[in-house]
Amino acid sequence: MEKIIINGGKRLIGEVEISGAKNAALPILAASILTEGWNTFSNVPNLRDVETIKKLLIGLGVKVEEEKDVRINAAGLNNYEAPYDLVKTMRASVLVLGPLLARLKKAKVALPGGCAIGARPINLHLNGLAALGAKVDLKHGYVEAEAKSLKGATIFFDIPTVTGTENLMMAATLADGVTTLENAACEPEVVDLANVLKKMGADIRGEGTEVITIEGVKELKSTNHTIIPDRIEAGTFMVAAGITAGDIKVRNCNIAHMDAVFSKLTEAGIKLTYENDGVRVIGTKPIRSIDIKTLPYPGFPTDMQAQMMVLMCFANGTSIISETVFENRFMHVSELRRMGADIRIEGRSAIVKGVSGLNGAPVMATDLRASASLILAGLASEGKTEISRIYHIDRGYERIVEKLSNLGADIKRVRD
Ligand code: EPU
């Protein structure tokens, strides 16, 4: 088992390059299933979750090659089952459901269980596929879906679901007739997937809004695409600069995707300046306390909640952070308390009282973004922080230890 060890208190200075977005890469790699030629994807981040989706695709008979870019050819697709072994390590494996059903008319995907941040059902994915005419059964822990042909339909999502919107959008590209997704997710990652599908020949309109219309086509062709930058990784580095009174330039981020995060960082007193090759981030004191409520895009992203909570631990007052997307995304709170944070949970809100400082401690990562928050806390704490169970961080942050250490952090990975 590996650990991350941080000796806190170093100001971060320098430049950091943001990697491709995990949550765009996963559905886009899955979308290759819809085509039979070679697809070439650039800016694919080197992450554990990306390795998992590649493994899943290979198991379905898909060819995956990788040098700088990732090349995928699904001509040999000959299996329609996503096994529990892979799904249990990554819920996003469910993203093969829609494309498998569209291409092979059959899919068998292990039902993901609950996870550290909430129950996370996939009922909206399944209801949507049933509305397109699929027969969907749950048997022995698997979703089994079958359809002689998929037919366009109007699907209303009770909650805007990111991977649900992506699954249905992929399934509808090859359905007969028009599908309308209402109350669809508007996340930039959904738009990036739509852009890839359109390059493949899909007829999609309205992506990035709450109503997406897809007119089915007979077939899709292979394409090339560069994955968008990871807005959550970018936001995490911006908090790292803010919390250490640092001065860094964040390169290769798309500021158009980051309005809510920019506005909250600015409100907290962090200086953000647009320069032509990136965003300069300067942490100033005092950090101001602010309230945050997570919401679907364009609201404040739940994937930045834990990181902002750490920033608020160093603010000059009390902040209320409300988590409305996932019901159990406060697992980092008890670990932050061990470092001296003053945080109280009331229902779906965390009341964070700024303290004069945190002190390093042994802590345990519980999920991806919680791990990021513990690293941030360690960077700004006095003394040594030892973070265990760091495999979570490798799921979603490419070379984070190296990137932070290039900015001057005293951080290393060690084997137990
Ligand atoms: N929901 C349902 N039924 C469904 C689907 C969702 O009730 O069928 C609920 C969920 O339980 C949750 C809410 O709807 O309360 C929103 O969940 P959503 O489906 O949008 O989440 P997701 O698609 O499973 C993606 C990201 C998550 C990110 C969320 C919210 C990917 C691969 N994952 O998950 O990313 O937190 O959207 O923005 O895109 C992460 O990167 O750390 C991460 C967890």
Side-chain angles (χ1 to χ4, degrees), residues 297-362:
Y297 191 85
F300 190 88
T302 171
D303 291 345
M304 277 298 297
Q305 178 257 108
Q307 299 90 314
M308 288 301 278
M309 189 181 293
V310 179
L311 186 66
M312 288 305 101
C313 288
F314 291 86
N316 64 354
T318 300
S319 318
I320 301 178
I321 300 185
S322 307
E323 172 57 62
T324 77
V325 179
F326 290 112
E327 69 274 17
N328 189 26
R329 211 173 196 181
F330 285 139
M331 300 288 279
H332 41 285
V333 169
S334 45
E335 298 303 297
L336 293 174
R337 278 199 200 124
R338 302 191 58 255
M339 300 177 77
D342 183 348
I343 308 171
R344 193 172 83 241
I345 305 286
E346 278 188 14
R348 294 185 77 157
S349 296
I351 294 133
V352 186
K353 280 193 190 156
V355 290
S356 56
L358 297 183
N359 23 80

Side-chain angles (χ1 to χ4, degrees), residues 22-24 26-27 91-92 95 117-126 159-164 166 185 187 189 231-232 295-296 301-303 324-327 329 348 367-369:
K22 164 178 85 78
N23 290 345
L26 297 175
R91 306 178 52 83
L95 282 164
I117 61 176
R120 302 183 75 183
I122 57 162
N123 57 314
L124 303 174
H125 303 226
L126 303 186
I159 307 172
T161 156
V162 175
T163 48
E166 292 166 346
E187 269 68 3
E189 293 77 16
R231 62 196 166 101
I232 305 301
L295 286 168
T302 171
D303 291 345
T324 77
V325 179
F326 290 112
E327 69 274 17
R329 211 173 196 181
R348 294 185 77 157
D367 76 76
L368 171 57
R369 308 304 169 186

Side-chain angles (χ1 to χ4, degrees), residues 63-360:
K63 280 193 189 144
V64 178
E65 291 182 357
E66 186 162 9
E67 283 182 25
K68 193 165 171 288
D69 297 333
V70 175
R71 299 182 71 236
I72 303 191
N73 185 321
L77 184 75
N78 58 10
N79 181 8
Y80 53 83
E81 179 174 334
Y84 181 58
D85 270 1
L86 289 177
V87 178
K88 74 174 184 217
T89 63
M90 185 184 74
R91 306 178 52 83
S93 306
V94 77
L95 282 164
V96 298
L97 188 53
L100 277 178
L101 196 55
R103 171 104 186 267
L104 295 181
K105 311 285 178 255
K106 228 175 160 166
K108 182 174 173 191
V109 174
L111 191 63
C115 81
I117 61 176
R120 302 183 75 183
I122 57 162
N123 57 314
L124 303 174
H125 303 226
L126 303 186
N127 293 349
L129 293 173
L132 294 182
K135 187 170 158 293
V136 180
D137 287 319
L138 293 181
K139 276 191 204 150
H140 310 295
Y142 277 77
V143 176
E144 295 189 18
E146 214 172 323
K148 280 206 180 64
S149 65
L150 294 176
K151 293 206 167 35
T154 295
I155 295 162
F156 175 82
F157 293 112
D158 293 340
I159 307 172
T161 156
V162 175
T163 48
T165 301
E166 292 166 346
N167 241 335
L168 269 298
M169 195 161 69
M170 290 190 277
T173 54
L174 294 177
D176 292 334
V178 177
T179 297
T180 308
L181 305 178
E182 295 184 354
N183 200 24
C186 305
E187 269 68 3
E189 293 77 16
V190 174
V191 175
D192 207 31
L193 171 65
N195 286 337
V196 171
L197 294 170
K198 290 207 276 194
K199 287 187 194 174
M200 289 173 168
D203 182 349
I204 302 177
R205 273 156 287 152
E207 68 278 10
T209 75
E210 285 155 21
V211 181
I212 304 179
T213 310
I214 306 123
E215 180 150 12
V217 294
K218 285 269 169 295
E219 59 174 14
L220 296 180
K221 58 181 193 306
S222 56
T223 191
N224 299 335
H225 186 74
T226 301
I227 309 286
I228 54 169
D230 197 309
R231 62 196 166 101
I232 305 301
E233 188 197 10
T236 303
F237 276 96
M238 288 172 186
V239 173
I243 212 167
T244 60
D247 181 352
I248 71 171
K249 187 182 277 180
V250 180
R251 292 161 61 105
N252 186 36
C253 63
N254 188 335
I255 54 174
H257 298 161
M258 298 188 65
D259 284 353
V261 171
F262 269 39
S263 123
K264 286 294 164 183
L265 288 173
T266 307
E267 204 183 322
I270 292 169
K271 272 203 199 148
L272 299 162
T273 329
Y274 307 98
E275 295 180 359
N276 48 10
D277 56 347
V279 178
R280 183 156 172 209
V281 189
I282 302 177
T284 54
K285 299 277 176 193
I287 295 167
R288 288 195 289 265
S289 56
I290 55 169
D291 294 341
I292 294 170
K293 186 177 192 175
T294 65
L295 286 168
Y297 191 85
F300 190 88
T302 171
D303 291 345
M304 277 298 297
Q305 178 257 108
Q307 299 90 314
M308 288 301 278
M309 189 181 293
V310 179
L311 186 66
M312 288 305 101
C313 288
F314 291 86
N316 64 354
T318 300
S319 318
I320 301 178
I321 300 185
S322 307
E323 172 57 62
T324 77
V325 179
F326 290 112
E327 69 274 17
N328 189 26
R329 211 173 196 181
F330 285 139
M331 300 288 279
H332 41 285
V333 169
S334 45
E335 298 303 297
L336 293 174
R337 278 199 200 124
R338 302 191 58 255
M339 300 177 77
D342 183 348
I343 308 171
R344 193 172 83 241
I345 305 286
E346 278 188 14
R348 294 185 77 157
S349 296
I351 294 133
V352 186
K353 280 193 190 156
V355 290
S356 56
L358 297 183
N359 23 80

